[in-house]
Amino acid sequence: MLNALHVSVALVAIAAPQSDAELATLDVTGKWEGRINGLALDFDVDLAAAEGGALSGDLSIPAQGARDLPLERIVLDGVEITFVIAGIPGEPTFQGTVSDDGTTVTGDLTQGGAEFSFQMRRAIDVAAPDAGLEAFGPWMREAMEAWEVPGAAVAIVRDDTAVLLEGYGVRELGSDARVDADTLFEIGSSSKAFTTFTIATAIEAGELAWADKIEDLLPGFRLDDPRASAELTLRDVVTHRLGLPRHDLMWYGRTGRTTAEIIAGMRHLPLNAELRERFQYNNLGFIVAGEVLREATGESWGDLVRARIFEPLGMRRSTTSGAPFLADPNHATGHGELADEVQVLPFRNIDIVAPAGAIGSSVSEMARWVRLHLRQGRFDGAELVQHATLVELHTPQTIISSLPEDPMLGIAALAHGWFVDGYRGHLRIQHGGNIDGYSALVAFFPKDDVGVVCLTNRNASALPELAIRRAADLALGLEPRDWSGEALEKRDAGSTDDEDADETPRVEGTTPSHPLGAYGGDFVHPGYGTLSIDVGGTDDAPALALRFGELGGPLEHWHFDTFRIPEAGEESTNPLGGLLVRYETNETGGVAALHVTLEPALPPLRFEAASDPRLSDPDVVKAFVGTFEFRGLAFVVSQRPDGSLVADVAGQPTYTLVPGRDDTFTIAEAEGFSVKFRREDDGSVPAVELRQPNGTFVARRSDDDSADE
């Protein structure tokens, strides 16, 4: 039973005992949350007063599906407490000491001769909802139905107390498993505030400073612009003012890439603005921030978040990567719309960009995170960061150059991992999150001591923002507005407009300039990496398909040498649907590169045709070795010990042949010069084309008596 124990115990707040008489009145009733060290088991305990001053209670192990296991022999002697789980083999016995402030218990668990240490702390006290908040549940269920959201959870915090912790709907369509306040959801970009808070702890520890230059923190780091590279600071990368647009396809769907590859590739990404010129949301900056933390502290981003935030707050089930999230039995499955209905979506692992969006959590634990911010960096009496540090985290740094359409919403700016705006005259600090299958929003009103969290298992849903507004209306005592109804009207009107949108222009009646097979192969961008065009189908009906990490799709001829991935249809959510692929040919007519728009804020990016790997295989290229003659001039191809090819012409230096495509090699020492070997069906190579700026000449093998061309 104890191989997966989670115990949550809540205690009434108690003053530090001062005498034996006061110790006798120590009140440990309520709910506690704890963990057994060594087993990594979480548990929760409920203690209550029984007749005659005795104590009763139960213990739950959510990970095992064990609920309300009865406790027996509960003894409170001064600050020492003991209790036993009834009916479990080995008689698991907890013996611990209550801290002076009455908020934690530490001690040992013994069972069948084994011994483990444990700790538990008072859980967040959930007050009964007042009359106003009682109206939230019916509204939420109605809104979930209207927005087709399978499951959601909401926390409302007021005056350092959770006045609502509730789950709604199901964790997965087709399942009876209900969402509760402890169900884990992916929170997406709401993770960014955890990264900036961790940076703040490093700054207080003297490990970093907001003004530190990234070039100094990460030697070798560069951007495409030398001035931006030299001036870019830690504050810049987390306030979305790098001068870079999103470039999300550097990492999205690219699980095979490494952090080092992405950071190295950033120097090859075109900028579209000056450093600090304007706000442009950018996840890459948080990849950099995570690496900065690792370099400065010697610990990974995930370990730092767990040690400096999760552990002090008691967020014991929150996760920083995909695997432990999926392993938790009480996690929500992501959903999206396919074929005009909401369906389960495959889980998208985004560990590569974890500091920007990979945290998974529940509203019961996220309520603790909100309380920390509403209490100026303190939680249950412990200071995680200084008040002044937290104020700086919440202070706007980058203006968002747009005006709100609704007069009830304020002008927005970006702080460190938080957006700052206004809601109906109240200061609001918030950050949402969207990743495949999940939508989230975390918001708090610091002047009103109110915070709200909404987590859902529906892709790109409007519901979190609408739920936050509804909850805020109720918690702030404002006249509720029908935000959901208004948004539904706009959505329906927008879907009609989309049906009338113009299709991408197309020139009819054109054909490709090459056989389809010539368009296949690998194409490389120094920042984005390799994009592959696979040639399939049959000899009579070849077909092309684009492959880019886990993304891609079939290519249809569009016009001239441009191909297109079909728009995402009813059965697909392909993010590359509608992508145009335009081929570029070189002076000899061969395929030299392709151009694709992977970043909408920039012109198409150029991916250069990669060399055919077969042309680096010594066993393959030995067929090209020999003497070829043109009008008495010998062109001698030989193979070096490493298997590469060189060519010699009498009276000239030795030339290095660099592999290309289609049995073509460029000459390293002579720009604009290349050679193409003519290969027959039987594998023989009777001739080579010598391609020069002044023409192309064909040299025959010296034992071939065919006429020169």
Side-chain angles (χ1 to χ4, degrees):
M1 175 62 69
L2 293 180
N3 61 349
L5 175 65
H6 172 129
V7 180
S8 186
V9 184
L11 296 180
V12 174
I14 312 161
Q18 300 297 321
S19 66
D20 290 344
E22 289 174 326
L23 287 174
T25 64
L26 184 63
D27 186 355
V28 293
T29 59
K31 192 175 189 67
W32 296 78
E33 296 178 344
R35 166 163 286 206
I36 299 170
N37 301 319
L39 298 178
L41 295 178
D42 294 331
F43 62 90
D44 67 68
V45 172
D46 290 289
L47 297 176
E51 292 184 7
L55 290 169
S56 65
D58 57 58
L59 181 147
S60 297
I61 311 170
Q64 292 183 329
R67 299 287 181 182
D68 302 330
L69 303 175
L71 300 178
E72 62 183 11
R73 286 177 272 169
I74 305 174
V75 177
L76 177 64
D77 182 9
V79 295
E80 303 300 322
I81 185 170
T82 302
F83 52 87
V84 179
I85 305 177
I88 301 298
E91 201 171 66
T93 302
F94 292 78
Q95 294 179 302
T97 302
V98 184
S99 63
D100 288 346
D101 61 4
T103 62
T104 60
V105 175
T106 57
D108 295 311
L109 160 70
T110 57
Q111 181 184 21
E115 183 174 303
F116 306 92
S117 63
F118 78 91
Q119 303 89 31
M120 63 186 194
R121 66 159 66 225
R122 287 189 298 109
I124 187 169
D125 186 19
V126 183
D130 56 29
L133 289 179
E134 287 177 352
F136 182 79
W139 177 91
M140 186 68 179
R141 293 181 180 89
E142 181 180 339
M144 288 174 63
E145 183 177 357
W147 290 96
E148 298 181 274
V149 174
V154 175
I156 303 177
V157 174
R158 184 167 56 194
D159 300 329
D160 205 29
T161 300
V163 293
L164 187 143
L165 287 176
E166 191 65 59
Y168 310 89
V170 295
R171 303 202 301 254
E172 181 176 328
L173 284 175
S175 168
D176 294 330
R178 307 292 297 179
V179 172
D180 58 34
D182 295 318
T183 299
L184 296 184
F185 292 80
E186 289 288 293
I187 71 169
S189 288
S190 299
S191 306
K192 289 182 171 66
F194 288 83
T195 298
T196 54
F197 190 95
T198 306
I199 292 172
T201 66
I203 290 172
E204 287 193 349
E207 297 165 320
L208 288 170
W210 288 120
D212 284 345
K213 301 292 180 61
I214 299 299
E215 275 195 348
D216 297 333
L217 299 171
L218 298 179
F221 175 85
R222 297 289 185 275
L223 290 177
D224 190 47
D225 177 76
R227 188 189 72 82
S229 292
E231 297 298 323
L232 186 72
T233 67
L234 180 55
R235 193 189 304 274
D236 293 325
V237 299
V238 298
T239 56
H240 302 291
R241 58 190 195 188
L242 290 75
L244 274 176
R246 295 183 68 127
H247 286 292
D248 278 340
L249 290 177
M250 279 273 287
W251 59 268
Y252 182 82
R254 313 288 302 286
T255 54
R257 306 204 84 191
T258 66
T259 298
E261 286 175 334
I262 289 177
I263 290 178
M266 288 177 68
R267 72 179 60 195
H268 303 290
L269 302 182
L271 283 69
N272 65 343
E274 295 292 326
L275 177 66
R276 306 186 191 111
E277 177 185 341
R278 65 176 184 263
F279 166 80
Q280 291 188 103
Y281 198 85
N282 191 287
N283 289 299
L284 297 178
F286 279 79
I287 297 180
V288 172
E291 188 66 7
V292 164
L293 280 167
R294 188 188 67 78
E295 286 286 337
T297 67
E299 298 181 67
S300 71
W301 169 83
D303 287 344
L304 289 167
V305 168
R306 286 188 290 272
R308 301 189 182 191
I309 302 177
F310 288 176
E311 287 298 326
L313 296 185
M315 299 176 68
R316 301 194 183 279
R317 290 178 53 249
S318 294
T319 60
T320 58
S321 60
F325 173 84
L326 293 175
D328 192 294
N330 187 6
H331 77 271
T333 301
H335 298 77
E337 186 173 331
L338 296 173
D340 293 327
E341 65 176 351
V342 177
Q343 301 180 23
V344 170
L345 292 183
F347 183 79
R348 175 78 66 186
N349 187 301
I350 59 167
D351 288 357
I352 188 65
V353 68
I359 286 177
S361 191
S362 65
V363 293
S364 63
E365 295 195 347
M366 290 296 290
R368 295 171 174 270
W369 172 240
V370 170
R371 287 174 59 202
L372 173 70
H373 287 271
L374 290 173
R375 284 294 171 269
Q376 294 81 46
R378 302 181 69 86
F379 183 79
D380 283 352
E383 184 179 75
L384 274 66
V385 295
Q386 299 171 17
H387 180 207
T389 300
L390 198 70
V391 169
E392 185 169 17
L393 280 176
H394 297 164
T395 299
Q397 304 293 318
T398 307
I399 299 299
I400 298 175
S401 57
S402 62
L403 296 174
E405 296 181 1
D406 195 297
M408 291 190 179
L409 305 178
I411 294 174
L414 188 78
H416 303 81
W418 293 102
F419 289 94
V420 181
D421 59 16
Y423 176 74
R424 302 185 73 171
H426 296 259
L427 174 66
R428 182 175 76 157
I429 299 175
Q430 54 87 12
H431 205 299
N434 287 284
I435 193 63
D436 299 54
Y438 303 90
S439 300
L441 185 60
V442 181
F444 55 94
F445 302 82
K447 304 299 184 183
D448 304 283
D449 206 7
V450 168
V452 189
V453 179
C454 180
L455 310 178
T456 73
N457 60 354
R458 169 69 196 271
N459 196 59
S461 175
L463 182 60
E465 172 67 25
L466 301 172
I468 295 289
R469 294 182 188 182
R470 183 70 174 194
D473 287 349
L474 297 173
L476 297 173
L478 304 173
E479 180 66 26
R481 175 173 164 178
D482 187 13
W483 291 107
S484 180
E486 294 174 18
L488 286 167
E489 289 181 5
K490 290 182 180 179
R491 181 198 66 180
D492 295 341
S495 63
T496 301
D497 294 341
D498 291 342
E499 293 173 1
D500 298 330
D502 292 335
E503 194 178 48
T504 305
R506 183 178 192 178
V507 179
E508 301 290 346
T510 66
T511 58
S513 62
H514 294 74
L516 287 186
Y519 297 102
D522 291 339
F523 297 81
V524 180
H525 183 277
Y528 278 77
T530 300
L531 182 155
S532 299
I533 305 297
D534 298 327
V535 181
T538 65
D539 291 341
D540 295 332
L544 302 179
L546 183 147
R547 180 166 43 87
F548 190 51
E550 293 85 54
L551 307 178
L555 284 176
E556 60 182 13
H557 180 247
W558 194 245
H559 54 216
F560 301 110
D561 282 339
T562 297
F563 297 77
R564 181 176 182 262
I565 296 179
E567 291 282 1
E570 289 186 346
E571 303 297 330
S572 171
T573 57
N574 189 353
L576 297 185
L579 182 73
L580 293 175
V581 178
R582 178 176 62 83
Y583 282 88
E584 169 193 329
T585 57
N586 56 30
E587 65 278 1
T588 62
V591 172
L594 58 77
H595 298 253
V596 289
T597 301
L598 297 181
E599 170 47 60
L602 290 171
L605 298 170
R606 184 179 188 271
F607 283 68
E608 186 170 347
S611 62
D612 185 341
R614 296 183 313 108
L615 300 187
S616 296
D617 184 340
D619 290 335
V620 171
V621 300
K622 67 182 180 182
F624 303 142
V625 172
T627 300
F628 301 84
E629 292 186 358
F630 172 74
R631 296 179 181 174
L633 182 68
F635 184 81
V636 181
V637 178
S638 58
Q639 199 166 18
R640 288 173 171 165
D642 64 3
S644 62
L645 299 181
V646 294
D648 289 284
V649 179
Q652 299 182 30
T654 297
Y655 295 112
T656 304
L657 302 188
V658 180
R661 288 160 52 92
D662 302 324
D663 293 340
T664 299
F665 294 73
T666 58
I667 297 179
E669 296 79 8
E671 185 176 355
F673 289 73
S674 63
V675 297
K676 177 180 173 59
F677 293 92
R678 290 184 175 180
R679 192 197 300 261
E680 300 294 333
D681 292 341
D682 62 3
S684 63
V685 181
V688 60
E689 297 176 9
L690 309 177
R691 297 174 172 180
Q692 304 176 183
N694 62 331
T696 298
F697 308 93
V698 177
R700 303 283 183 181
R701 281 196 181 272
S702 58
D703 57 354
D704 187 342
D705 57 3
S706 300
D708 292 334
E709 297 182 11

